[in-house]
């Protein structure tokens, strides 16, 4: 291999490492309160309109009229339920280990959208990690909880402990 090829490989590796560390600076974004409130109002309005369509007196009850009422009401109720789900979706948090940059990354995202890094901790900044049946807590060097994630039961606790032990640098 020539010196030029080695120089290109080193430059490419440095470029990839620099871009990898910038990912940790991206902050997660949630819909604003006004967007969630608007989605909730329109969602309930669509649901009520879909149900109310059957209460309004109208034309003769021919099969075509009933079929069109049914189609429109199903469309309105489905759209209303979807809008209320947008307004009430709870973000999920996940813990990821970046061994290359020696960081613990906390991702937050909604089930139907992308994930964003909301917190990144260097392995050196972690004093200890406590795991119970209901909660995982990561303590910083100042002794305060920096990350707290809920855990579902004893099996999830054992899986979490096994994952943390595989990262030999984290004190459990």
């Amino acid at each position: 291999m020539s010196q030029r090829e080695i120089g290109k490989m080193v430059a490419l590796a440095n470029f990839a490492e620099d871009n990898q560390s910038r990912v940790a600076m991206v902050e997660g974004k949630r819909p604003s309160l006004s967007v969630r409130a608007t989605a909730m109002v329109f969602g309930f309005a669509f649901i009520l309109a879909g149900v109310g369509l059957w209460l309004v007196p109208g034309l003769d009850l021919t099969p075509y009229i009933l079929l069109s009422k049914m189609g429109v009401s199903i469309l309105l109720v489905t759209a209303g339920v979807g809008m209320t789900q947008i307004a009430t979706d709870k973000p999920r948090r996940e813990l990821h280990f970046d061994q290359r940059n020696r960081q613990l990354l906390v991702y937050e995202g909604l089930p139907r959208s992308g994930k964003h890094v909301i917190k990144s901790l260097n392995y050196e900044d972690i004093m200890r990690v406590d795991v119970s049946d209901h909660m995982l807590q990561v303590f910083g060097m100042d002794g305060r909880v920096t990350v707290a994630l809920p855990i579902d039961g004893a099996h999830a606790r054992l899986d979490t402990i096994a994952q943390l032990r595989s990262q030999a640098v984290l004190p459990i």
Side-chain angles (χ1 to χ4, degrees), residues 92-96 105-109 115-116 118 149:
R92 287 185 1 197
R93 290 189 174 182
E94 296 177 2
L95 208 58
H96 291 270
L105 302 173
V106 180
Y107 283 90
E108 181 178 71
K115 297 176 187 174
H116 302 284
I118 60 168
L149 296 173

Side-chain angles (χ1 to χ4, degrees), residues 64-155:
Y64 293 114
I65 298 289
L66 289 175
L67 185 62
S68 63
K69 269 188 168 182
M70 182 178 67
V72 170
S73 67
I74 287 174
L75 180 69
L76 286 171
V77 169
T78 304
V81 168
M83 291 187 86
T84 56
Q85 286 298 312
I86 289 171
T88 59
D89 260 349
K90 304 284 188 281
R92 287 185 1 197
R93 290 189 174 182
E94 296 177 2
L95 208 58
H96 291 270
F97 300 96
D98 184 3
Q99 292 180 346
R100 181 179 211 182
N101 295 321
R102 298 178 47 82
Q103 290 181 334
L104 182 68
L105 302 173
V106 180
Y107 283 90
E108 181 178 71
L110 296 173
R112 292 182 301 270
S113 66
K115 297 176 187 174
H116 302 284
V117 176
I118 60 168
K119 188 163 205 113
S120 65
L121 295 168
N122 293 328
Y123 286 168
E124 295 80 24
D125 296 336
I126 298 173
M127 184 171 74
R128 76 171 198 264
V129 179
D130 287 344
V131 183
S132 69
D133 284 348
H134 304 289
M135 187 69 65
L136 171 123
Q137 294 178 330
V138 179
F139 291 87
M141 293 308 264
D142 57 356
R144 291 189 294 169
V145 176
T146 56
V147 175
L149 296 173
I151 293 179
D152 296 329
H155 292 293

